Amino acid sequence: MDTSETKQGQGPLEGLKVLDFSSLLPGPYATMLLADMGAEVVRIESPSHSDMVCDVPPFINIDGHQTSYAHLQLNRNKQSIALDLKQPIAIDAVKKMLPLFDVVIEQFRPGVMQKLGLDYKSLAESYPELIYCSISGYGQSGPMVDKAGHDINYLALSGVASYSGTPETGSVLSGVQIADIAGGSHHAVMAIMAAYIARQKSGKGQYLDISMTDAAFSLNALFAPGAINSGTSPELGGTLLNGGHFYGYYQTEGKQQLAVGALEPKFAMRFLALLGIDQSMMMPIASMTELKQQIAERIQQQPLEHWQSLFESEDVCVTPVLDINEAATSLLMKERDMLLSVGNKEQKVSQIAPAMKFAESDFEQFTLAPRAGQGTEALLRRYGVAESDIETILAANAGKESSE
């Protein structure tokens, strides 16, 4: 299946061109958002080493090539060029293409692009309009600039993990990579859009330093302001949202779960009334442990279907905990058009649709992620690389592919 064809439609970012050197999750998710909104995104990939996200199960076979469903979504609507950036001819090809691009986004460890001669400082004089975004774990400066890390480390060092959980659970893992996506991806897209608007006024690009740890620290928006001024940090189970209230998850008969978010008094009182629990137990706060125990015991007496039926007509912020497939097939996601069918007549894949809804933009036709280097020859030619250089690059790529 040919997945390299540029998608049709007029997204709000139509005309924006992005050269993407990133891999795994934070950078690709950011450029997926840009591509979903109409930007032309061209990935620069290694001809000999696949993006590790291609190895995340489960897998699908497309035209004889096995890849992951995660890769097909994260890199949808993009195009791919395979270049060995250790070779001078590949660096020259990148520089030849750069005048036709608005944005560069990269996610290497700090210093890697400098060694390649593709860092912002090396490029800015020749390409003054270039917007250059670097996503890293700890930023381009500071005491941890050379350290490796993952989502768990960024959440740990930003303070987020310290009060995410209860005294019984300790700090808990999240199924979604919060620092990677809410920190790295979303902040990168916001910064790129701000720089793009600024460039329309000044005519100049600029460098964007996105630290996932910085961004995760900034997500402590509700409790950090008080903590850093009072000197007292929030603790596990010490706030209304992490166990200090009956706000939380409760197991039903059959070991399914119910999410109880009845924080406000009007919701809390009605919720307790429906469970047949004495509302006076809301005060004093000292009785909260006993109240949570009573709620847990009541909810565990009936299956999830009972509670869904009871709360369906009530506005008390109580919902079932759905797994991903239950969420995908729910009436809510169907009515919100949150699933796409992407591919062609021979083979289609279901994907999560963009969460942003634009009333005046049409970007309904999507393409699956291309194989690494699938558009190398055509794209290099389109962006002005000399035919002799293209032939040399293709020959070198073929040698590396055959030696894997």
Side-chain angles (χ1 to χ4, degrees):
M1 174 170 40
D2 183 5
T3 62
S4 63
E5 181 181 351
T6 303
K7 69 180 186 303
Q8 303 299 312
Q10 295 291 322
L13 295 183
E14 193 80 16
L16 181 71
K17 290 182 171 57
V18 181
L19 199 57
D20 179 9
F21 292 86
S22 68
S23 61
L24 287 173
L25 179 59
Y29 190 96
T31 53
M32 180 194 74
L33 294 177
L34 296 172
D36 283 354
M37 291 186 285
E40 180 176 342
V41 177
V42 176
R43 302 190 77 204
I44 302 298
E45 301 190 73
S46 168
S48 58
H49 300 94
S50 65
D51 187 337
M52 287 178 64
V53 80
C54 295
D55 300 324
V56 176
F59 303 103
I60 182 175
N61 189 292
I62 294 186
D63 290 344
H65 297 270
Q66 179 178 278
T67 190
S68 72
Y69 286 96
H71 163 67
L72 291 179
Q73 170 152 333
L74 284 168
N75 294 300
R76 69 187 180 199
N77 301 330
K78 303 176 188 178
Q79 300 171 85
S80 175
I81 295 174
L83 290 175
D84 180 0
L85 296 177
K86 295 178 181 179
Q87 302 303 318
I89 194 169
I91 302 301
D92 291 341
V94 170
K95 292 180 178 179
K96 183 69 176 179
M97 294 189 290
L98 275 176
L100 300 176
F101 283 85
D102 302 288
V103 178
V104 163
I105 184 167
E106 62 92 9
Q107 193 186 296
F108 295 113
R109 283 208 206 184
V112 170
M113 290 296 266
Q114 182 178 7
K115 291 178 181 177
L116 296 173
L118 294 176
D119 59 304
Y120 180 72
K121 187 176 181 181
S122 298
L123 300 176
E125 186 174 346
S126 299
Y127 311 98
E129 296 182 356
L130 185 64
I131 296 166
Y132 194 113
C133 179
S134 294
I135 303 174
S136 64
Y138 307 110
Q140 302 297 310
S141 61
M144 298 190 69
V145 67
D146 295 322
K147 291 284 189 179
H150 285 294
D151 189 82
I152 188 173
N153 307 113
Y154 314 143
L155 294 176
L157 290 176
S158 64
V160 173
S162 71
Y163 63 104
S164 295
T166 67
E168 294 75 27
T169 64
S171 297
V172 295
L173 295 170
S174 170
V176 171
Q177 288 65 52
I178 298 170
D180 284 357
I181 297 175
S185 308
H186 289 169
H187 282 76
V189 171
M190 289 186 285
I192 288 167
M193 289 295 90
Y196 187 53
I197 293 170
R199 193 183 74 175
Q200 292 174 351
K201 300 175 183 178
S202 68
K204 295 181 179 179
Q206 57 184 298
Y207 184 65
L208 309 173
D209 175 4
I210 305 298
S211 157
M212 287 180 275
T213 305
D214 290 357
F217 184 58
S218 75
L219 296 178
N220 291 292
L222 194 57
F223 297 110
I228 60 181
N229 282 282
S230 68
T232 301
S233 295
E235 298 178 348
L236 293 166
T239 77
L240 289 176
L241 302 178
N242 72 347
H245 184 271
F246 62 74
Y247 178 101
Y249 299 110
Y250 295 87
Q251 193 172 94
T252 68
E253 182 185 64
K255 297 187 177 180
Q256 292 175 291
Q257 292 189 89
L258 202 64
V260 176
L263 276 176
E264 295 84 351
K266 65 176 182 178
F267 297 143
M269 295 304 181
R270 181 57 181 161
F271 168 70
L272 295 177
L274 289 167
L275 261 61
I277 294 176
D278 183 2
Q279 298 174 13
S280 67
M281 291 190 67
M282 280 287 294
M283 296 299 291
I285 293 297
S287 66
M288 191 58 67
T289 300
E290 184 182 348
L291 177 56
K292 287 194 291 183
Q293 183 62 36
Q294 281 201 33
I295 293 170
E297 290 174 355
R298 293 290 173 88
I299 291 176
Q300 204 163 23
Q301 291 172 4
Q302 298 289 344
L304 182 63
E305 293 78 10
H306 169 83
W307 299 117
Q308 285 183 275
S309 177
L310 177 65
F311 291 115
E312 186 175 15
S313 60
E314 297 286 345
D315 190 23
V316 291
C317 306
V318 176
T319 58
V321 175
L322 304 180
D323 65 29
I324 290 177
N325 283 303
E326 289 170 336
T329 56
S330 68
L331 180 62
L332 174 62
M333 294 303 166
K334 287 181 179 179
E335 290 290 330
R336 292 296 300 165
D337 295 323
M338 281 306 298
L339 282 184
L340 294 171
S341 182
V342 185
N344 59 22
K345 292 180 180 179
E346 288 74 35
Q347 193 169 21
K348 290 186 180 293
V349 173
S350 293
Q351 295 187 347
I352 297 174
M356 297 167 285
K357 312 298 184 186
F358 292 90
E360 301 298 331
S361 298
D362 174 20
F363 48 98
E364 295 180 356
Q365 297 185 46
F366 285 65
T367 60
L368 295 174
R371 296 190 306 276
Q374 188 171 335
T376 301
E377 183 175 359
L379 291 168
L380 290 176
R381 186 170 292 118
R382 181 196 302 175
Y383 293 119
V385 177
E387 287 294 329
S388 58
D389 289 346
I390 294 174
E391 291 177 7
T392 302
I393 289 168
L394 293 174
N397 287 355
K400 291 182 181 300
E401 291 166 0
S402 63
S403 64
E404 285 185 45

